Amino acid sequence: MTTSDLSAFHIRKWYLQIEDTHAGETGAPADGAPLRKIVIAACLKNPFAGRFEQDLSALIDPSPALGREFARRIREAAAGQPIESYGKACLVGIDGEYEHGNALLTNPAANPVREGIGGGKSWVPSTGKRGGPGTVIDIPLAHKDALYVRSHYDTVTAHFSDGPNRDELLVIWAFATRGRLNARLGGLAASEVKGQDGLY
C-alpha cells in the first residue's frame, strides 16, 4: 500500500486483535487445530459527520482501496493459516449516521477482501451501531463459502479504547481459521462444502 492508495480516507489508526483458543469453555481440548480469530479495524474521519448527505459515493467509490488494504493485513495476521469464516461491522461516532459506516461495508469494499483470502462465495454477515471510544461490538462470523455450515456460526467481540471520536467511524472485519471447537450440532460439514451458491 502507498499513501496515495488510501488518500481518499484520513485514517487515524489501525487496530489488530488476535486470539488463539486451544480448549473449550469447560476445558475440553480442541478437536484439531486451535481456533484463531482475528479482528482488523480502521478508524477514519467521517466526512459526513454532523450533516445529512444523500449521495454517499465519496465513501463508496474509493472503498476498493480500503478493501485491498484489509486483505493485505488479514493475510499478514493469518500467518499462512487459511481463513474459513468472516464477518464485518461498523462503529460510527455519534455525529455520524449508521448509514455512513455501512457505505464502507458494501461490495466495492468487500470484494477485494474476499479475493484476498482466496475467495468467498457466501454473503458476509454484518452488524454495526453508533457509539464512542470504549464501545463493545460483537461481530458475527459464518463460513465464507457456505452459510449452511452450522459449525462456523460464531461471534468475536472487540472494543476500541480510543475510537471512534464523534466525527470518526470504524470499519471492522473479523475472520476465523476454523469453526467452533468441538462443534457437535450436526448440519453441513465444512469438508462437504461445494462452494457453488454461497449456501452449500
Side-chain angles (χ1 to χ4, degrees):
M1 178 195 72
T2 65
T3 303
S4 60
D5 290 334
L6 293 172
S7 60
F9 303 103
H10 179 199
I11 299 176
R12 178 170 68 85
K13 191 167 188 174
W14 284 94
Y15 299 86
L16 173 63
Q17 172 183 309
I18 298 176
E19 59 180 70
D20 292 320
T21 303
H22 294 262
E25 295 85 351
T26 55
D31 54 334
L35 166 59
R36 170 164 286 195
K37 292 182 182 178
I38 302 165
V39 177
I40 301 172
C43 182
L44 55 97
K45 185 83 167 179
N46 181 356
F48 303 125
R51 63 185 175 91
F52 177 82
E53 174 59 57
Q54 181 65 37
D55 182 4
L56 301 182
S57 59
L59 284 174
I60 297 170
D61 289 350
S63 66
L66 190 62
R68 288 190 292 272
E69 178 60 10
F70 271 99
R72 186 191 71 78
R73 288 172 181 266
I74 181 53
R75 288 193 300 269
E76 186 176 90
Q81 298 182 69
I83 297 298
E84 291 192 3
S85 61
Y86 53 21
K88 60 187 178 179
C90 62
L91 181 55
V92 182
I94 60 173
D95 283 350
E97 297 178 6
Y98 182 30
E99 195 74 350
H100 299 158
N102 279 311
L104 292 172
L105 299 179
T106 58
N107 279 342
N111 286 338
V113 178
R114 286 188 174 96
E115 293 165 9
I117 60 170
K121 295 289 187 181
S122 69
W123 60 271
V124 188
S126 65
T127 190
K129 60 184 178 181
R130 294 167 70 231
T135 298
V136 174
I137 190 163
D138 291 328
I139 307 144
L141 294 169
H143 195 285
K144 71 182 184 68
D145 291 313
L147 286 175
Y148 288 169
V149 179
R150 200 174 297 162
S151 60
H152 285 55
Y153 297 157
D154 208 345
T155 305
V156 58
T157 300
H159 112 287
F160 310 93
S161 61
D162 65 342
N165 290 323
R166 300 176 65 101
D167 61 349
E168 294 177 328
L169 59 85
L170 279 160
V171 182
I172 309 159
W173 277 82
F175 306 88
T177 57
R178 55 160 292 171
R180 302 185 312 275
L181 299 189
N182 302 303
R184 50 199 186 276
L185 299 178
L188 180 69
S191 60
E192 300 169 343
V193 168
K194 294 182 174 63
Q196 295 173 347
D197 59 5
L199 297 177
Y200 297 98

